């Protein structure tokens, strides 16, 4: 019997490895949920230091007194860009270690600051409704800072509002061109686009989601993974842990079939934390 096992060594298929990792992410997220309910907080994340989403004691003296996210909803796009430029400049002046940027649209914007993993100084540079072409016009704002890592998620708004796959991918390559050229020492983590809830969604523009098959999002994610490989960047596949058996956004993780609730952000936080520990130096 022993010789048989030696002759035919047991190997774990790649699909099983992925499944185990995704289950591990979900398990970690559930632990965080349980911990929050039992003791009222997450001890791995330090208190929020400022409106720029710092979770590191080095940034505790930074207090630019910018408005909260809630009041920012009244800003137009250019006001958003100006404000985010001021925030990154303020942080850059302090030059903290492990400065990490959340870059993207409303999904990034609404990431609760207290849920961001510790041991980093986080800055949220998300804007609601952001698309790939408009993100390109504000990447220069990051040039003033020594950025350790960028977690990038962008593209869902392009697809929802009718942009072609070819144009989205062309814009994405321009984004990566800029980041690897202007920030050669920065780790860029390309994050996959999340699924949506389709007919289960109650988002205000639900009909637009119904015209966007989740199969198209999965195909786009495959292209984004290839782009990440082209630019020697990291790739974090989030789609499987946010989708149900039908490939739609899990209803327990969303507020409206497109945006995430707190449980959804806990799952995302667990994925970022696990990926950072396994893949990022």
């Amino acid at each position: 019997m022993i010789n048989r096992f030696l002759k035919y060594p047991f190997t774990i298929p790649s699909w099983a490895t992925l499944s185990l990792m995704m289950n591990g992410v979900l398990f970690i997220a559930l632990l965080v949920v349980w911990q929050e309910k039992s003791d009222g907080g997450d001890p791995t994340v330090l208190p929020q230091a400022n409106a720029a989403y710092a979770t590191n004691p080095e940034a505790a003296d930074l207090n630019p007194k910018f408005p909260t996210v809630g009041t920012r909803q009244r800003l137009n796009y250019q006001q958003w860009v100006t404000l985010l430029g001021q925030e990154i400049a303020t942080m850059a002046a302090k030059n903290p270690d492990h400065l990490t940027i959340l870059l993207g649209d409303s999904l990034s914007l609404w990431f609760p600051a207290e849920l961001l993993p510790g041991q980093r100084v986080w800055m949220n540079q998300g804007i609601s409704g952001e698309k790939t072409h408009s993100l390109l016009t504000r990447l220069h704002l990051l040039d003033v800072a020594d950025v350790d890592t960028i977690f990038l998620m962008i593209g869902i708004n392009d697809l929802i509002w009718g942009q072609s796959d070819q144009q989205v991918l062309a814009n994405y390559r321009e984004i990566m061109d800029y980041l690897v050229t202007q920030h050669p020492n920065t780790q860029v983590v390309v994050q996959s686009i999340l699924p949506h809830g389709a007919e289960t969604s109650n988002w205000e523009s639900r009909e637009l989601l119904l015209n966007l098959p989740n199969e198209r999002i999965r195909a786009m994610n495959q292209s984004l993974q290839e782009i990440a490989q082209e630019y020697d960047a990291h790739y974090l596949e989030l789609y499987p842990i946010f989708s149900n058996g039908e490939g739609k956004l899990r209803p327990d993780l969303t507020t409206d079939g497109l945006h995430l609730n707190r449980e959804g952000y806990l799952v995302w936080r667990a994925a970022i934390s696990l990926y950072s520990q396994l893949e990022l130096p």
Side-chain angles (χ1 to χ4, degrees), residues 12-41:
I12 301 176
S14 58
W15 62 265
T17 301
L18 177 61
S19 178
L20 288 171
M21 289 184 63
M22 295 304 99
N23 286 336
V25 169
L26 291 174
F27 178 71
I28 292 172
L30 289 173
L31 283 178
V32 174
V33 172
W34 173 83
Q35 189 173 55
E36 283 197 334
K37 290 180 177 179
S38 62
D39 64 14

Side-chain angles (χ1 to χ4, degrees), residues 10 15 26-27 55-57 87-88 104 108 116 132 135 144 178 181 196 205 229 236 260 275 277:
F10 176 74
W15 62 265
L26 291 174
F27 178 71
T55 57
N56 186 300
E87 289 187 347
I88 192 69
S108 296
L116 290 165
T132 53
L135 178 60
V144 299
Y178 189 94
T181 300
H196 61 73
S205 299
Q229 292 172 347
L236 175 55
L260 300 179
Y275 189 85
Q277 293 180 45

Side-chain angles (χ1 to χ4, degrees), residues 56 58 88 91-92 95-102 117-123 142-152 179-180 182-190 232-234 272 275-277 279-281:
N56 186 300
E58 292 181 37
I88 192 69
M91 185 67 79
N95 194 28
D97 292 334
H98 305 298
L99 178 59
T100 303
I101 305 294
L102 275 181
Q119 310 306 316
R120 291 176 178 272
V121 175
W122 289 90
M123 290 205 70
L142 305 179
D143 294 352
V144 299
D146 182 10
V147 182
D148 180 89
T149 307
I150 295 173
F151 281 88
L152 172 65
L179 292 178
V180 300
Q182 299 298 322
H183 301 270
N185 299 319
T186 298
Q187 302 176 105
V188 178
V189 181
V190 174
D232 197 27
H234 298 272
I272 289 177
Y275 189 85
S276 297
Q277 293 180 45
E279 299 294 336
L280 302 181

Side-chain angles (χ1 to χ4, degrees), residues 141-167:
L141 298 175
L142 305 179
D143 294 352
V144 299
D146 182 10
V147 182
D148 180 89
T149 307
I150 295 173
F151 281 88
L152 172 65
M153 181 187 286
I154 194 71
I156 186 63
N157 288 314
D158 297 73
L159 299 179
I160 288 174
W161 297 101
Q163 189 67 266
S164 70
D165 292 6
Q166 293 75 13
Q167 189 58 58

